[in-house]
Amino acid sequence: MSSVARSVEESPSESHERGGPVRHRVEELDSVVVRFAGDSGDGMQLAGTQFTNASAIFGNDISTLPDFPAEIRAPAGTLAGVSGFQINFSSQDIYTPGDLVNTLVVMNPAALKTNLKDLEKGGLLIVNSDAFTFNDLRKADYATNPLEDGSLSAYRVIKVPINTLNREALKDIRLSPREVDRCKNFFALGLVYWLYERPLEPTLRWIREKFAKNPAILEANTRALKAGYNFGETTELFPVQYRVPKAHIKPGTYRKITGNEATALGLVTASILCNKTLIYCSYPITPASDILHALAEMRRYGVRTFQAEDEIAAVGAAIGASFGGALGVTGSSGPGLCLKSEAIGLAVMVELPLVVIDVQRGGPSTGLPTKTEQADLLQALFGRNGESPVAVVAPCSPADCFDMIIEAVRIALRFMTPVILLSDGYLGNGAEPWLIPDVNALPRIEISHPTKPNHDGQFMPYLRDERLVRQWALPGTPGLEHRIGGLEKEDVTGNVSYDPINHEKMVRIRAQKVANIANEIPPLSVNGPEEGDLLVIGWGGTFGSITTAVNRARRKGLKVASAHLRYLNPMPKNTGEVLRRYKRVLVPELNCGQLLLLLRGRYLVDAVGLNKIQGKPFLVSEIESEIYRLIGS
Amino acid sequence: MSSVARSVEESPSESHERGGPVRHRVEELDSVVVRFAGDSGDGMQLAGTQFTNASAIFGNDISTLPDFPAEIRAPAGTLAGVSGFQINFSSQDIYTPGDLVNTLVVMNPAALKTNLKDLEKGGLLIVNSDAFTFNDLRKADYATNPLEDGSLSAYRVIKVPINTLNREALKDIRLSPREVDRCKNFFALGLVYWLYERPLEPTLRWIREKFAKNPAILEANTRALKAGYNFGETTELFPVQYRVPKAHIKPGTYRKITGNEATALGLVTASILCNKTLIYCSYPITPASDILHALAEMRRYGVRTFQAEDEIAAVGAAIGASFGGALGVTGSSGPGLCLKSEAIGLAVMVELPLVVIDVQRGGPSTGLPTKTEQADLLQALFGRNGESPVAVVAPCSPADCFDMIIEAVRIALRFMTPVILLSDGYLGNGAEPWLIPDVNALPRIEISHPTKPNHDGQFMPYLRDERLVRQWALPGTPGLEHRIGGLEKEDVTGNVSYDPINHEKMVRIRAQKVANIANEIPPLSVNGPEEGDLLVIGWGGTFGSITTAVNRARRKGLKVASAHLRYLNPMPKNTGEVLRRYKRVLVPELNCGQLLLLLRGRYLVDAVGLNKIQGKPFLVSEIESEIYRLIGS
Amino acid sequence: MSTVATTPLPTLTPKDLSSDQDVRWCPGCGDYSILAQMKKALAGLGIPREKFVFISGIGCSSRFPYYMNTYGFHTIHGRAPTFATGLKIARPDLSVWVITGDGDGLSIGGNHLIHAIRRNVDIKIILFNNEIYGLTKGQYSPTSRIGTRTKSSPQGSVENPLRPLSIAIGAEATFVARTLDVDVNHLTDTLRRAAFHKGAAFVEIYQNCKIFNDGVFEYATDKSVKADNTLYLEHGKPLIFGKDRNKGIRLKGLDPEVVTLGNGVAADDLLIHDEKAEEPSLAYLLSRMVYPRFPECFGVFRAVERPTYEALINKQVEDVIRAKGPGKLEELFASDDIWVVS
Amino acid sequence: MSTVATTPLPTLTPKDLSSDQDVRWCPGCGDYSILAQMKKALAGLGIPREKFVFISGIGCSSRFPYYMNTYGFHTIHGRAPTFATGLKIARPDLSVWVITGDGDGLSIGGNHLIHAIRRNVDIKIILFNNEIYGLTKGQYSPTSRIGTRTKSSPQGSVENPLRPLSIAIGAEATFVARTLDVDVNHLTDTLRRAAFHKGAAFVEIYQNCKIFNDGVFEYATDKSVKADNTLYLEHGKPLIFGKDRNKGIRLKGLDPEVVTLGNGVAADDLLIHDEKAEEPSLAYLLSRMVYPRFPECFGVFRAVERPTYEALINKQVEDVIRAKGPGKLEELFASDDIWVVS
Ligand SMILES: Cc1ncc(C[n+]2csc(CCOP(=O)(O)OP(=O)(O)O)c2C)c(N)n1
Ligand SMILES: Cc1ncc(C[n+]2csc(CCOP(=O)(O)OP(=O)(O)O)c2C)c(N)n1
Ligand code: SF4
Ligand code: SF4
Ligand SMILES: [Mg+2]
Ligand SMILES: [Mg+2]
């Protein structure tokens, strides 16, 4: 395990000759990474989620990573059908779901095959040995049984006949054999709960609430969970039990939140903070659809969702809603952003607020729809005809989606501009604890709409304030009737104008207006020394890996700092100055070097990139090694 | 006039007391810029075109710039309805239509108002004085008559009652008054022909051919032209006649060509060179539609044009045609490129040849549809989700569109990749002489299609040659059945693959394949010293202004050179090296600095931009002054 | 920009609806008449000026909003219905009009048109059909007849034209009508009918493009022939037409046929127009009648009641709030397992 | 990739048409049957395997081409008809099939569908209608019935569904048909009929999505009720249905009504199916018959002949070449005023 065992003690459980609890050593650890893997039908996501909740409630810091198959229902037992869920829980601040897995639970051979590569050498491998029949092995393309052919000798393999034990535990409950078998995830979960001293109560409560209407299932899951727990306590299969103490976490009320949930909650919150109806217009697409789903459930909060016929309609409707004075938001993934580009250009021209969410996925084209990537940054900045500046922001963690989507709304409304929020599959589906904010403490977003002419008894739609922002006059307001559109407009009046000098003026005004946003965002801060040998700078979901890697390298004595750009356009005003304080600059990205091009082009620093394009987040170790490679160690 | 008068002689015409030809001085000039301006209904484009032809046939080098109103038919006599046509003709090599106008012909007050600012101080202003009635002046928003209020004192104003004189000349022809008046452009043209000693015959021939079926009109136009000519010869309004000697031009057969015509001809030529059916798929849009129109007339050359329901359908059909083994090409302007972005990403993934033409116009959004701009460069490079590299090329003059579209086709077919050609409104509508190439001397584009399995008796669609290019197997070929698509593909087999390492490999292969194009394009060459104080580097339609400005500055002794990037992605291999040979680098662009960002980001040179966003090309003087500002003079 | 009314006008006049922008269509363009009649139609509705919003795509026709002294939005090509839908969801109180052309609405924008219609969003979609792309200088459009010679079809177009009303009816329209630019009273009436319809109203207007397609509708506008080539629909009335109003349309199986009244054919034998028919079969059949085989129909083909999209969505919001009370953020945040760290 | 046939097969078997890729639909998905029947249908056509091209968009259904050992192109969402159109213009010799879903073909892709159909491009468009977005895990689609509860419509969808056949007929279709995943013979026959049609053929297949919309078509597939809820069309035959084949459809004005045979109602009184009717009114009316008010119709609704788009375009090319001879580049280059510099 990646952190050092600090204390060894006897398990408090009483010792018996046989059948009863046996004596176990307890080791204390900083952090542990557990992964549950099985067939899509095996309930691994549920097991992972429950484990996460239990760990969070216990008081650990947590970070999680679910991994779904691309197919809806790949045939049971096949490699394509494997579903996994990884949890990193710790007594320290953690930022990533962890590089290597310490304990891997596999429910079938396919899960073993696809997940083994991530298990650390010497790691604990809990195997549902009942699922290693000839048929199961064949479906997973195994030529020989890995439980027998010695190929697992580098790991601490614990074979548990989970099917059998679970059936045994549930044998007198009136359920079909299939229903009984579907409880086996709870058996496995119970076993791992015991191993890591997790409290059973949160999960037992969840089972009670969830299955209140189905007593047999309630009873079965409860028993399976306890049976798994007791199995750990009773057998001698596990010589050691592990303990991960509570973390020192900021006091408050927490919940676990995925990036997509946080985005949805942030939107509703923003709509309340600015006192506008949220109209979320979207066309389903992986991995963004869950935002639509979450918001569709929020009619009670006045939210309107509009499932459009395509992405063009979605963005058009969002702009139309904004024109009407609502909070028009549209969300999609990369291919959808392509389709929205023309309309975003229109929003630039008419200077209406618009929030566009892009939950990035692997590309190009349809690419790897269920995987993560950061390759839409330059598209967000430049993917439109003409000089068409928009604001771009990116959350750095699942929970940060809440804050950054509120930022996106704030910028859009205060600057009458489209804002693109770049989330990604990793952030959207990944979860972390979220300190539930005090609603009343959140700053309101103040907006006003003109009700009277603004210029000699006339209304000039393109008259601007000192920040270059025009007024948001709403249809229905008497006397402010005006027309907007995609043709170049005359300064102040907003009438169509083909005048060359006016065009240049307007292009520059639009650019300056977006640049002015830099006056209202926080400066770029660094984690680590204010100057030094290396700055590792990133954006988006790489925050956790970068921070962890840099912290580790610094603990090894290197003069390395990290910085994270949550505002990509405009960038914080001090960005160039920060970059120049370090001898070298490293830019890790899940793309071929997009931020890198911007930083080099804008600030003329000889930054280098660390690029991974595998549909997966960075491992901490990957960034760490690159740090050592660059500045020795 | 911008060039120096070199010789003064007596006009050869006999001298009479009155009524007959009068004596005129003849001045010889290097170059002259003439602009015809009038109402859209006044036939100014026709007059300009005829003047251009006559000058070209006479042997001058020429460059032209038409200027249409944005409205189809704005009300007659209004400012919005003014149409202009500018010709620069010279005894030297010229690259632009000229900064300042030497002789301005205006047919009405609106034309005077919108065009006067471009007339050089002391320039010749020929005014149709009949058109300065109270009503005409009011339509052009004149408070007083500029012919009377002294506001034109800085110019050499020649008032000619063109309507009256033209009616007089045509009075015995059986035409309606309206028809007679519509000949007045020929009267004006004849007058300017006399002034610049242009030959009448080419235009007389054109009239004979064009109106062969309508003898009255034929006669009327002929007479109007001659009447205008004779008027110049007879009156004493013009003390001086001008002569622009023939230019030293490469021998050969020439025609005048616009960029859009050259693009269409280049496409047909390319289709013959590669022996493929050209299928041009497009949705009409200004300023690209003329390519569609030209190709629609070319069915005799086997060309198929497909007017699609929108730009997405156009690019889809072009890719479908390519899949079938044809030369699939699609063309549009910036807003259309937005819509094509998703499908271009698919072409990147499936690695099929595709040529995409973007005739850029003023943006963002609908912008200035009839004006020129260069603001789609970054969109062309980056406007797609994921890492989605494509080749990008840009012609540097109207005639160069012919060469560069053939280059685009060649690259697309040889590298199985989408290629974007960035033309613009200035190139597309502007005209210059074109040395008609010898068809047989043009290099063929060799392509082969597999007919047999390529790997152990199987066909592997993603097996590559040493340049990383896959084979183009055509549907209908027995034994090569295979499937392609937008999901990430496995190396070699092309099967769908979600494997992380394979994904990274394929992303890098696609990038490297496009980078490999640099092995098959010419290096960047410079005009001027191989090293020095300043390099002015540009792309696209700014070539003429940059070259002229740099040549002028060099004649003044400055160590300045110019270079022009016709290949934007990949750039020529020596680009960075060339940039570094100069102390400073200036990048003039009709945008806010798009090439600038690329050059700085890629080569880390502290280049500076000169940016104009007025829907108009650079004046030579604008670039020249910036050169002096940067390196003194 | 606009001049502010100093006192609210009790009723609007067409002049109140004129913006200060110069109208820039070609002289003789049919769009002028539509603009004039629109102002007349709206002036009489009793809706205050500021409640009107005109949303258009791109095309000659789509310049329309600039000339109306109402709120207006000249959007992008083909997408006007999407902006209108979003606006209407946000603001059910507004009277939202979509102005589109045969290219804008049926070529690039066909899909949005269909979907706005099927959802029955309460917007008025006015399609100026001139059977040509005017603004881009005259290419054939999806409604151009086979053989139309244009710059992009020099040998004549080979594409079957769409019938706009057939498509709208195929897309579950609740209101469809057709009128003509030059028939000013009918045009005004039809626009007014559309305004009164609660739901998506689709109106096709035959519009002459003087420059690129002059005279394509002559058979329906030329005084000497139009009576024989057009049929004005009236709800509940038999389908009669002709200069002498002695011709009619009778049903033969499912096919319409032209008959002459008299000689045993009475008005009773004719097809009776029913714009309120539950099923759209009649409207569809009428939309298929094409000159020269048939007279072409004008008027309201179909007008039935169905709840509007935005009303249904708003009802869902109200229902859930009525049932469960308005949402509180605190509750929403806590809608998952929570834990307290102290 | 594919295995090469060593000798050309005289006739294909369904197996020859299977690719080496594992089929990845959910167990129980209706797509399996469609795949099997497609292979059966194509095997009998006498067209060599390499001449088939399957083009799809995105969706569960759109994975189809991967499983056919023919040429295939899995394109982007909603745009398959555009690729197919380009391909067919380039290669009229190929048999081009478009596979699409109710989301792919009618939501994002509705416009391309309409235009391919109206142009009568000779492609076969097969729409797998499962009334849901399968691949994105179950949101309602443009064909979902009002009230459908999904992740994106937790209180039930409020949008009027499109009837795919009505839209196709509204778009001037020359061939439209409907069939069912589970009726294997009818499915095979219908695909074969589509294959033989020269022009755009549009086939809607009711397809069960086991996971997200299981059983929506039960009324038409459940043995115990289906005979009363479905009506199989046969050209020239009266519209009869029902377990006892004693029910029929009669015309009442322009409306269909269900009648029971006997008691004075004879087969002669019933509507006779005519797939070749010049005007599509009958086909349209049949496309409006919806369960539970009516039995739903299966079979070929309409099949009429019209020249195909690509044939007309190619004819223009041939005509001009025949009239003027093939073009020479030299002439083309000189097609403007030229001058010689020496
Ligand atoms: C994305 C995009 N594609 C193409 C165009 C060019 N365009 C502008 S209007 C138009 C067609 C107009 O035809 P129609 O809708 O019939 O309007 P009309 O001018 O005839 O009134 C086209 C193709 C555009 N503005 N935007
Ligand atoms: C541009 C784009 N938008 C959205 C998606 C996401 N998407 C993929 S398939 C699909 C809908 C599929 O529904 P349908 O066509 O009915 O096919 P089914 O899965 O039901 O067979 C959607 C919305 C996408 N791939 N591309
Ligand atoms: S081009 Fe045609 S439609 Fe456009 S304004 Fe002129 S006449 Fe009207
Ligand atoms: S989700 Fe539905 S349509 Fe898709 S494969 Fe599964 S059962 Fe079939
Ligand atoms: Mg039109
Ligand atoms: Mg579906």
Side-chain angles (χ1 to χ4, degrees), chain A residues 97-109:
Chain A
D99 286 9
L100 283 176
V101 173
N102 306 124
T103 293
L104 174 64
V105 182
V106 295
M107 302 300 281
N108 70 7

Side-chain angles (χ1 to χ4, degrees), chain B residues 498-511:
Chain B
Y498 300 109
D499 180 69
I501 301 299
N502 176 75
H503 177 49
E504 176 145 343
K505 184 173 183 188
M506 294 299 279
V507 167
R508 293 196 191 275
I509 285 178
R510 286 186 290 262

Side-chain angles (χ1 to χ4, degrees), chain B residues 72, chain C residues 25-26 29-31 60 130 134-135 207-212:
Chain B
I72 303 289
Chain C
W25 290 306
C26 307
C29 177
D31 292 355
C60 295
N130 55 12
L135 190 71
Q207 173 244 325
N208 192 41
C209 171
K210 187 80 194 157
I211 305 298
F212 297 112

Side-chain angles (χ1 to χ4, degrees), chain D residues 257-298:
Chain D
E257 63 174 347
V258 174
V259 292
T260 307
L261 291 177
N263 266 331
V265 182
D268 280 0
D269 300 327
L270 300 181
L271 201 48
I272 307 290
H273 183 45
D274 178 7
E275 61 185 40
K276 301 196 183 339
E278 178 63 18
E279 274 301 314
S281 302
L282 171 62
Y284 183 73
L285 176 150
L286 298 176
S287 79
R288 311 299 309 165
M289 285 169 46
V290 178
Y291 171 83
R293 260 191 74 200
F294 293 102
E296 290 185 4
C297 298
F298 295 89

Side-chain angles (χ1 to χ4, degrees), chain A residues 53 56 251-252 254-255 299-300 304 306 309 317 324 453 457 459 474-477 480-486 495, chain C residues 1-2 4 21 50 65 68 70-72 74 82 86 91 112 119 309 314 316 324-325 327 332-333 337-339 341:
Chain A
N53 288 351
Y254 284 81
R255 61 170 281 187
R299 294 262 151 89
R300 266 181 85 191
R304 268 77 173 163
F306 171 58
E309 58 271 25
F459 178 66
L474 301 189
T477 317
L480 307 194
E481 292 84 0
H482 67 280
R483 276 67 54 195
I484 57 175
N495 290 333
Chain C
M1 69 177 182
S2 71
V4 179
Q21 296 296 295
E50 66 271 14
M68 296 287 298
T70 62
Y71 285 90
H74 179 222
T82 72
R91 296 289 303 277
H112 308 301
R119 290 192 187 102
Y309 175 80
N314 288 333
Q316 288 197 339
K324 306 195 184 172
L332 185 61
F333 290 171
D337 285 327
I338 58 165
W339 66 94
V341 174

Side-chain angles (χ1 to χ4, degrees), chain D residues 101-103 128-134 207:
Chain D
D102 44 320
F128 294 22
N129 185 5
N130 55 12
E131 299 190 356
I132 204 83
Y133 295 167
Q207 173 244 326

Side-chain angles (χ1 to χ4, degrees), chain D residues 10-11 22 29 31 65 76 78 105 112 133 184 233 239 253 266 289 322 326:
Chain D
T11 45
D22 290 339
C29 177
D31 292 354
I76 46 178
H112 307 302
Y133 295 167
V184 296
L233 300 170
L239 271 59
M289 285 169 46
R322 199 175 310 115

